[in-house]
Amino acid sequence: MDKIHHKFINVQGLNLHIADTEAGSNVVVFLHGFPEIWYTWRHQMLAVANAGFRAIAPDYRGYGLSDPPPEPAKATFKDIVTDLLAILDHLGLAKVFLVAKDFGARPAYQFALLHPERVTGVVTMGVPYIIPGPPRFRESLPEGFYISRWQEPGRAEADFGRLDAKTVVRNIYILFSRSEIPIAAENQEIMDLVDASVPLPPWFTEEDLAEYGALYEKSGFQTALQVPYRSFQQDYGTADIIVKVPALLIMGEQDYVFKFPGMEDYIRSGKVKDFVPDLEIVYLPEGTHFVHEQLPDQVNQLILTFLNKHV
């Protein structure tokens, strides 16, 4: 981890934290999901740095060490895209690879649509490119579907507020590592789906959890619940929804996202390639939603193969 340096960049009056290996003419920017922060990319940052690439991983506004927006309830995906452009401009980076996990796939592809001249290629894990428009998952899933619950103002805040930040992250890591969609019963909260006796996944250590816990103690979950969960309705801001850059999708076969209505068919049938023509899809049989932390060596090799092919 000695190769990873930390700095703050002022963007629109906010001090945004980025982790940066600093060396390398070809640059890879890592975009995290939830409940992650820059630290989720620790294995990938070192792998690409050792291969000669520069690795940069920001904390989104309101996440980790980055300042929260003045009005978290008004934060949007557009903020992430705008902040990313400002970070690249500040660092003088003309063109980068984007590697994203979970909801980070959305700003990665949104950025590639709006600024294709700044993107060499896109790699996503756990979530494919999804065309703009309101998601329909909640229409065919029970009321206790975790996204529906977290979209309800105050519901998740009350649920999370019963626990310390480290326990909230612990519970979400356990839930999201399973192959079933987290769905609570009518009179049950999402945090109640995890018993205190359930161990962490073997690839996620107590030390890792402590890193996350400390950062969420600082930031809280207010902005993190707004983006992504309460911002899905936002449009991409472009009329052209066809992605023009090369892309790679890495999916763990055990990822609960496959259980979202229509998702498995959308990916496996190749329908997603209607919108991302130059897309390669790789499936990892044992992989879960956190495939990059669970199977870092395999994921790192897939990323490096893609980078070296398109550099």
Side-chain angles (χ1 to χ4, degrees):
M1 299 285 275
D2 290 345
K3 286 189 175 182
I4 300 176
H5 306 277
H6 298 271
K7 63 184 69 171
F8 290 86
I9 294 174
N10 191 275
V11 176
Q12 300 182 62
L14 301 179
N15 287 315
L16 302 183
H17 166 256
I18 67 168
D20 188 352
T21 59
E22 296 183 343
S25 57
N26 295 303
V27 181
V28 186
V29 177
F30 293 90
L31 303 175
H32 62 77
F34 176 81
E36 299 136 340
I37 31 77
W38 79 267
Y39 183 80
T40 195
W41 296 114
R42 58 201 179 280
H43 306 301
Q44 286 69 45
M45 291 186 74
L46 294 176
V48 302
N50 289 337
F53 294 85
R54 181 178 178 180
I56 296 171
D59 287 336
Y60 306 141
R61 54 173 62 196
Y63 279 80
L65 296 174
S66 291
D67 286 347
E71 297 181 88
K74 294 183 178 180
T76 67
F77 277 96
K78 184 179 179 181
D79 293 328
I80 299 176
V81 173
T82 302
D83 292 345
L84 176 57
L85 181 62
I87 289 169
L88 299 190
D89 287 346
H90 180 90
L91 296 175
L93 304 174
K95 201 167 189 178
V96 300
F97 287 97
L98 297 176
V99 177
K101 154 75 172 42
D102 186 62
F103 87 82
R106 178 162 176 160
Y109 275 120
Q110 194 170 354
F111 191 88
L113 288 171
L114 292 169
H115 308 286
E117 75 286 353
R118 306 294 293 269
V119 179
T120 309
V122 175
V123 180
T124 69
M125 280 153 261
V127 173
Y129 173 70
I130 298 173
I131 60 173
R136 302 190 181 279
F137 302 132
R138 60 186 298 172
E139 295 176 6
S140 50
L141 288 167
E143 173 274 337
F145 175 44
Y146 77 100
I147 291 179
S148 298
R149 287 289 184 85
W150 291 351
Q151 286 179 336
E152 183 181 334
R155 185 78 179 253
E157 287 86 343
D159 186 18
F160 292 6
R162 299 176 293 152
L163 309 167
D164 61 70
K166 188 165 83 167
T167 303
V168 173
V169 174
R170 170 190 174 274
N171 289 355
I172 295 172
Y173 255 80
I174 291 170
L175 283 174
F176 285 8
S177 295
R178 297 170 177 171
S179 58
E180 298 299 324
I181 299 172
I183 297 175
E186 186 176 345
N187 296 314
Q188 184 184 39
E189 297 301 326
I190 299 299
M191 288 294 102
D192 297 330
L193 291 172
V194 181
D195 188 87
S197 65
V198 176
L200 285 168
W203 40 265
F204 193 69
T205 68
E206 288 292 340
E207 290 75 20
D208 295 333
L209 179 58
E211 289 280 347
Y212 276 83
L215 289 168
Y216 273 103
E217 285 288 352
K218 175 192 177 295
S219 68
F221 295 94
Q222 190 175 13
T223 309
L225 287 166
Q226 174 64 23
V227 182
Y229 299 105
R230 298 168 188 172
S231 304
F232 283 130
Q233 303 293 335
Q234 182 204 342
D235 190 83
Y236 273 41
T238 174
D240 187 356
I241 59 171
I242 305 300
V243 177
K244 305 297 197 301
V245 301
L248 169 67
L249 171 63
I250 303 171
M251 290 294 300
E253 295 273 12
Q254 309 305 314
D255 194 328
Y256 73 90
V257 170
F258 269 131
K259 302 287 179 64
F260 280 31
M263 183 65 79
E264 185 162 14
D265 180 65
Y266 175 67
I267 296 172
R268 292 193 190 276
S269 70
K271 178 69 174 176
V272 61
K273 295 185 181 182
D274 291 349
F275 308 102
V276 191
D278 191 1
L279 174 68
E280 177 186 1
I281 305 173
V282 177
Y283 304 96
L284 297 181
E286 301 304 316
T288 66
H289 193 55
F290 298 103
V291 68
H292 65 303
E293 292 184 276
Q294 177 195 6
L295 303 169
D297 291 342
Q298 293 181 56
V299 170
N300 293 349
Q301 189 55 58
L302 290 169
I303 292 172
L304 286 170
T305 299
F306 178 83
L307 299 179
N308 287 315
K309 181 179 178 181
H310 297 287
V311 73

